[in-house]
Amino acid sequence: MIYELNHVGIVIRNLDKSLAFYEGVLGAKVVSRNIIPSTQTDVVYLQITGGMIELLHRREPAGNEVYGITHIGFMTHDLDGDYQRLVDSGVEGVVKPKVAGSGVGRIAFVLDPNGARVELLQRSPDYRTAAVPNSLIKSFDHYSLNANNLKAAMEFYHGKLGMKSLKTQRVEQRQLDMEYLNYDYDVLELLHRPEPAPGPFFGHFALRVDSVESALKSLAALGATPEAGSPKRAGTGLGNVGIVPDPDGVRVELVDRPDLRTL
């Protein structure tokens, strides 16, 4: 059974620069560090308050390496059974269940209806610890995913992966539909626009703060560079948003709205 939205995986260029950003600027905590010997890939899991990200650093990257968020990972108690169930239901399998390259646990990959890579993991431990204290960030808010086919994405994440449908929002002036789903603490945002999104599947992940304006000033003092236009009023009318890109251009969104799980 799939039971947890565990992380997003981010392929990075420079491990030292990325750790300086996530640990030194955002206050993340390294909870696991391994290596995949066959590809000389560093695998680092970090926890930001209660949420998780995975950094993947290839010491000798291929010329066509893709940097940024490349997949989203879910934990399961039955990797073989869940992988086969999804494939039998029409989901495209891309990596059959196997031992993880790091030697820790087992993994498989499927594609969601829009083509995003979804990792299934079965391992112990899952690396997550109690919420990591953070003077600036109150909680991990959500992982965001572009869904050109929103109905099919809901059928996949809600119907097949078992995520709870949490909230539906629409921004009329941008004709933007948002569906929020969760497994307990972890929230997934599905974004749908009337025209297919030309960018990557994974747009950003979001962190909740008391004040976006104050948080951006604090992060700038630590060396971060807020994206132009930050902060601004959220299109939904719920609080403000601001963007701070990581060293590889991954957009880290700051929000100061109430917790999505309580709205």
Side-chain angles (χ1 to χ4, degrees):
M1 183 182 77
I2 297 168
Y3 64 91
E4 179 181 284
L5 169 52
N6 186 257
H7 69 271
V8 287
I10 306 173
V11 177
I12 61 173
R13 291 178 175 83
N14 186 299
L15 184 57
D16 290 337
K17 287 183 178 180
S18 290
L19 289 177
F21 175 80
Y22 285 105
E23 288 186 288
V25 176
L26 295 185
K29 175 185 176 183
V30 173
V31 292
S32 174
R33 192 164 184 163
N34 290 295
I35 188 169
I36 301 175
S38 62
T39 58
Q40 286 295 288
T41 300
D42 297 293
V43 183
V44 182
Y45 281 86
L46 300 104
Q47 187 169 321
I48 305 174
T49 60
M52 302 267 285
I53 63 171
E54 175 192 43
L55 300 182
L56 298 164
H57 171 250
R58 308 193 211 287
R59 299 179 185 183
E60 296 183 5
N64 61 348
E65 185 69 87
V66 176
Y67 296 97
I69 301 176
T70 60
H71 70 268
I72 189 167
F74 290 82
M75 298 292 292
T76 172
H77 293 301
D78 180 10
L79 178 65
D80 297 278
D82 281 321
Y83 176 84
Q84 194 60 50
R85 173 179 61 82
L86 292 172
V87 170
D88 288 346
S89 73
V91 173
E92 182 178 352
V94 289
V95 177
K96 293 181 179 180
K98 66 174 186 176
V99 175
S102 64
V104 181
R106 300 174 68 240
I107 64 171
F109 280 89
V110 300
L111 297 182
D112 83 356
N114 292 283
R117 286 174 65 87
V118 175
E119 182 181 29
L120 305 177
L121 309 97
Q122 185 172 6
R123 66 173 179 231
S124 180
D126 69 1
Y127 302 148
R128 193 188 299 252
T129 69
V132 177
N134 192 303
S135 60
L136 182 66
I137 299 165
K138 298 178 68 174
S139 69
F140 207 105
D141 193 75
H142 66 268
Y143 306 96
S144 184
L145 175 61
N146 289 319
N148 292 327
N149 187 331
L150 184 57
K151 180 180 179 181
M154 284 295 291
E155 289 174 352
F156 177 78
Y157 290 102
H158 175 55
K160 295 180 179 180
L161 297 194
M163 298 192 77
K164 176 185 175 183
S165 181
L166 191 63
K167 185 177 180 60
T168 299
Q169 287 186 303
R170 179 171 174 82
V171 180
E172 290 292 347
Q173 65 269 32
R174 295 171 57 193
Q175 293 186 295
L176 178 65
D177 292 299
M178 292 169 285
E179 292 281 356
Y180 292 94
L181 306 97
N182 74 312
Y183 274 125
D184 299 322
Y185 179 89
D186 301 284
V187 177
L188 177 65
E189 175 189 70
L190 298 177
L191 295 178
H192 174 73
R193 298 171 177 84
E195 296 296 328
F201 293 112
F202 301 98
H204 66 268
F205 65 84
L207 308 172
R208 195 164 63 90
V209 297
D210 281 320
S211 165
V212 169
E213 184 175 4
S214 296
L216 288 173
K217 290 178 180 178
S218 297
L219 295 179
L222 293 171
T225 304
E227 192 174 274
S230 298
K232 64 180 180 180
R233 190 68 178 169
T236 60
L238 295 174
N240 304 290
V241 298
I243 301 291
V244 178
D246 84 349
D248 291 285
V250 172
R251 303 173 82 234
V252 180
E253 182 179 82
L254 304 179
V255 299
D256 55 15
R257 66 186 174 202
D259 191 323
L260 284 167
R261 295 163 298 178
T262 65
L263 289 175

